[in-house]
Amino acid sequence: MRNVIVGAMVSMDGVMQAPGGPEEDPTGGFKFGGWVAPLGDPVFGEELGKLFGEPFDLLLGRRTYDIFAAYWPYAEGGPSDDIAKTFNRITKYVATRKGVDLTWKGSAALRDATKDVAKLKQEDGPALVTQGSTELVHSLLAAGLVDEIRTFTFPVLLGKGKRLFDESSQPRAFKLTHSAVSPSGLIAATYLRAGEVETATVGGV
């Protein structure tokens, strides 16, 4: 069995759009592209290293894949050499309905994302980790396919923008298994799926 892990950099109001730089979404009308960099610190690097330090394959939406494919194949030898080598070596599963060639070595197309991911989860292999890919993440949450959520919440409000969660998410309980706070105010948290949502009356007997 393979677990699906949603890895997301989010603002305090849940926006996850274009965290890495303005070039990630140049035509989307989002004016805060690159909002993560000013708040990065060693703790962020350590926590990100934990996410990518265990065996995994990438699970990406088409837009995020195009951004990654234009950068990571050429990033080896630079400041992100370790991650670049990992990303270039592993399999990249891409949710896409387009018949366009996937040029990044090790890429595989998913034509029906939720059905294909459900099949992948039944196989033996490393975890499937998302990065960005808002629409894909929404689909996975709606289908109840997410086993773990790792959020990196930064102390900034962005207002408008693509968000990690929407109303389509299937109700689930999660258990916090790890957390860390960085000097810049980042809160890194790991949540594991923990069954159904329970309800009760506050203060009730």
Side-chain angles (χ1 to χ4, degrees):
M1 295 288 289
R2 308 177 71 172
N3 285 341
V4 171
I5 302 173
V6 169
M9 302 173 199
V10 296
S11 65
M12 291 193 300
D13 52 342
V15 174
M16 59 183 292
Q17 188 168 354
E23 69 281 357
E24 289 186 348
D25 197 358
T27 62
F30 182 71
K31 64 180 180 179
F32 296 114
W35 51 272
V36 161
L39 296 167
D41 59 28
V43 172
F44 174 48
E46 291 171 9
E47 293 299 317
L48 203 60
K50 292 176 183 177
L51 174 62
F52 297 136
E54 299 177 2
F56 72 98
D57 288 329
L58 280 172
L59 186 56
L60 305 171
R62 183 56 196 251
R63 184 186 294 265
T64 300
Y65 172 82
D66 288 341
I67 294 169
F68 278 28
Y71 177 77
W72 289 112
Y74 316 102
E76 292 189 22
S80 301
D81 179 69
D82 288 343
I83 293 179
K85 288 180 177 177
T86 298
F87 281 5
N88 291 329
R89 172 179 50 81
I90 63 176
T91 301
K92 281 73 68 174
Y93 293 100
V94 189
T96 177
R97 295 185 179 90
K98 299 178 180 179
V100 180
D101 289 340
L102 301 177
T103 57
W104 192 4
K105 183 180 179 181
S107 300
L110 304 178
R111 300 303 183 189
D112 188 321
T114 53
K115 288 183 179 180
D116 290 342
V117 170
K119 292 177 182 178
L120 287 172
K121 281 172 62 71
Q122 300 304 312
E123 300 177 353
D124 293 328
L128 301 164
V129 176
T130 73
Q131 288 289 281
S133 310
T134 312
E135 293 182 11
L136 173 61
V137 169
H138 290 171
S139 296
L140 298 174
L141 288 166
L145 294 172
V146 175
D147 302 289
E148 182 176 333
I149 300 174
R150 298 198 190 187
T151 55
F152 303 86
T153 305
F154 292 81
V156 59
L157 294 175
L158 297 176
K160 296 180 180 180
K162 299 175 183 177
R163 284 174 160 73
L164 174 57
F165 302 111
D166 69 1
E167 293 182 357
S168 69
S169 298
Q170 189 176 112
R172 293 289 182 190
F174 283 81
K175 178 181 180 181
L176 178 68
T177 60
H178 171 75
S179 63
V181 180
S182 80
S184 69
L186 160 74
I187 300 175
T190 298
Y191 301 92
L192 296 183
R193 185 164 162 170
E196 304 300 321
V197 177
E198 299 181 3
T199 64
T201 300
V202 175
V205 178

